[in-house]
Amino acid sequence: MIYLDNCSTTKTCQESIDIMTKALSEDFANPSSLHSFGLKVEKEIAQSRSSVAKLVGAQASEIFFTSGGTESNNIAIHGLIKKNKRKGNKIITTAIEHASINDQFINYKNEGLDVKFIGVDKHGNVDIEKLLDEIDENTIVLSLIHVHNELGTINDLKEITKRVKEKNRNVLIHGDGVQAVGKIHVNLKDLGIDTYSISSHKIYGPKGAGALYVRESLDIPSLVIGGGQEKGLRSGTENVPGILGFAKACQLAYENLEQRIDHAGKIKAYLLKLLEENLKDYQINTPKNSSNFHLSVSIKDIRAEVLLHYLEGDEIYISTASACSSNGNHKSKTLKEIGLNDNLMDGTIRICTSKDISFKDIDIFVEKLIKYVNEIRNIMIG
């Protein structure tokens, strides 16, 4: 099997599986219990919080465990808006955010808030000047994806945050870091943002776990009331196996981040070279200054979903768009916003590598890709 859909999810690493198995079979106490068994598990969660914080340059007290990126994004946006609602009713994001951000902003627009979606260029870079033009005294929340889930484009959150806060220091800024953590260097203190979402299953941890960073001294209201866990921000008995498995993945990401980034960069360069040498009539949508793990490719005169099914017959797995936007019948909003015509849009695939992908895997993938692209073109255009 050659798995190139790692932006959708990664294979859980064995180290995380081992610690989760131990948590399920041995360390199963409720961390809220007063007895020593519960206290032991509570200490393991505290250690896990420190592991997550270390990976993203935060303090352990600023990390709140959630069920994943979507919940973290929801808690953040809801909380920031409620926190700042007396100062205005304007909220801003880009036109190509993940569904867990985009759909929230649409919902708030329907509720009467002044919502602005900022456009992007052909590579998904946000127009910073247009963004700054929209920042006024009525602006209360800005949300930006850090690394784009389809394109791999990296937003300069540090520069954007600095300039936005210079114009209106009351704007609260959220970063969607789901595709950034474990793929680029992230230091939240350096970025200067207020909240930031993290997902476990994008960095070889288990599904159903994640975290929300909330800047020290910033209190935001919760979506879930009752129980008081996570200092009241995310009540409910903790998913101990998920948290411990997530923390182990964070620890390994911290220890091996440079090596992983370097490996992914070499794999991506090799893949681009093979595509240039062997594939005709295609376009790379991912910019040069991007995540080493992402590559969006539009191939003319094919249908991407047909190519996907051809490849899966050889146990080669790719995607056509974000997993959170590909289940419906609509086309990718991102591809529309970057200006692709229908021919290119219909033939767009997303290739996402991992620490486990080899050069031989890429050789096999490209060989099969070229074969099936030619077969599909012969059927479609004769």
Side-chain angles (χ1 to χ4, degrees):
M1 180 176 73
I2 300 174
Y3 184 75
L4 295 168
D5 193 21
N6 291 279
C7 297
S8 297
T9 196
T10 54
K11 179 182 178 181
T12 305
C13 64
Q14 189 59 50
E15 293 89 341
S16 287
I17 293 172
D18 291 343
I19 200 168
M20 290 173 68
T21 301
K22 181 176 182 293
L24 287 165
S25 61
E26 299 177 26
D27 298 332
F28 55 83
N30 190 321
S32 296
S33 297
L34 296 179
H35 47 65
S36 58
F37 191 12
L39 181 61
K40 175 179 181 291
V41 177
E42 184 182 16
K43 288 181 178 178
E44 291 176 345
I45 290 177
Q47 293 169 354
S48 296
R49 206 179 305 278
S50 296
S51 295
V52 178
K54 190 174 184 179
L55 176 60
V56 295
Q59 298 179 46
S61 59
E62 298 173 309
I63 298 298
F64 297 83
F65 289 116
T66 69
S67 65
T70 292
E71 185 186 13
S72 294
N73 283 336
N74 273 265
I75 293 174
I77 297 304
H78 172 79
L80 294 178
I81 289 172
K82 289 196 72 173
K83 177 76 174 179
N84 242 5
K85 64 181 181 180
R86 293 183 180 178
K87 296 178 181 178
N89 76 329
K90 187 175 186 178
I91 59 176
I92 302 174
T93 190
T94 78
I96 60 168
E97 296 295 308
H98 185 269
S100 61
I101 295 292
N102 181 76
D103 291 358
Q104 282 193 83
F105 273 69
I106 291 173
N107 181 65
Y108 275 110
K109 184 175 183 178
N110 293 336
E111 291 186 6
L113 269 67
D114 182 11
V115 177
K116 302 296 182 184
F117 294 95
I118 305 300
V120 295
D121 67 15
K122 66 179 182 179
H123 291 305
N125 296 296
V126 63
D127 189 325
I128 298 178
E129 296 309 318
K130 284 186 179 179
L131 169 60
L132 291 171
D133 285 344
E134 289 289 353
I135 301 294
D136 56 25
E137 67 281 355
N138 197 43
T139 307
I140 57 172
V141 170
L142 168 66
S143 181
L144 294 173
I145 200 164
H146 197 176
V147 171
H148 194 267
N149 50 311
E150 291 184 44
L151 303 173
T153 309
I154 302 173
N155 271 319
D156 189 348
L157 290 191
K158 180 178 180 180
E159 178 66 15
I160 293 171
T161 297
K162 175 177 176 291
R163 295 182 67 181
V164 168
K165 298 266 187 183
E166 285 174 350
K167 191 164 183 182
N168 181 349
R169 63 186 178 86
N170 292 319
V171 177
L172 294 174
I173 302 177
H174 173 64
D176 178 352
V178 167
Q179 294 287 348
V181 174
K183 296 181 175 70
I184 65 172
H185 294 279
V186 175
N187 186 312
L188 295 177
K189 289 302 180 189
D190 186 52
L191 293 181
I193 61 174
D194 298 294
T195 58
Y196 193 86
S197 55
I198 310 165
S199 177
S200 164
H201 74 101
K202 308 294 188 181
I203 58 168
Y204 316 105
K207 298 173 184 63
L212 175 66
Y213 160 85
V214 181
R215 175 178 51 79
E216 187 180 22
S217 78
L218 175 65
D219 293 319
I220 60 174
S222 172
L223 281 171
V224 181
I225 306 298
Q229 290 87 351
E230 297 302 296
K231 293 188 283 189
L233 185 63
R234 204 273 185 179
S235 292
T237 302
E238 295 89 344
N239 172 15
V240 177
I243 288 170
L244 300 190
F246 173 32
K248 173 57 71 171
C250 286
Q251 177 192 333
L252 295 172
Y254 179 82
E255 294 171 354
N256 300 294
L257 184 58
E258 205 65 56
Q259 177 185 340
R260 290 180 182 180
I261 292 173
D262 181 65
H263 173 72
K266 290 175 180 175
I267 290 290
K268 184 175 181 177
Y270 184 63
L271 172 56
L272 286 168
K273 177 176 177 290
L274 291 185
L275 291 178
E276 184 178 359
E277 292 173 349
N278 296 280
L279 184 61
K280 297 178 181 179
D281 296 325
Y282 71 98
Q283 173 180 304
I284 301 296
N285 304 312
T286 299
K288 290 183 179 179
N289 180 27
S290 63
S291 155
N292 286 347
F293 295 83
H294 294 70
L295 190 65
S296 173
V297 183
S298 295
I299 306 171
K300 293 181 180 179
D301 302 320
I302 71 159
R303 293 192 64 84
E305 63 269 25
V306 176
L307 176 61
L308 181 151
H309 293 308
Y310 271 56
L311 288 167
E312 71 180 0
D314 292 311
E315 294 190 315
I316 299 173
Y317 301 100
I318 60 170
S319 70
T320 59
S322 163
C324 294
S325 67
S326 60
N327 291 325
N329 295 320
H330 62 283
K331 295 181 179 180
S332 164
K333 187 172 186 289
T334 292
L335 301 182
K336 292 179 183 178
E337 290 293 336
I338 65 173
L340 287 190
N341 62 43
D342 286 344
N343 191 327
L344 285 172
M345 202 182 304
D346 290 342
T348 300
I349 61 173
R350 183 182 67 173
I351 304 159
C352 293
T353 63
S354 75
K355 63 183 178 63
D356 302 315
I357 293 298
S358 68
F359 292 98
K360 182 174 178 56
D361 290 332
I362 298 301
D363 284 334
I364 296 170
F365 165 63
V366 172
E367 178 187 351
K368 296 293 185 179
L369 175 75
I370 302 305
K371 175 186 176 183
Y372 295 137
V373 164
N374 290 335
E375 288 185 16
I376 295 167
R377 282 174 171 168
N378 286 336
I379 294 169
M380 291 186 66
I381 62 178

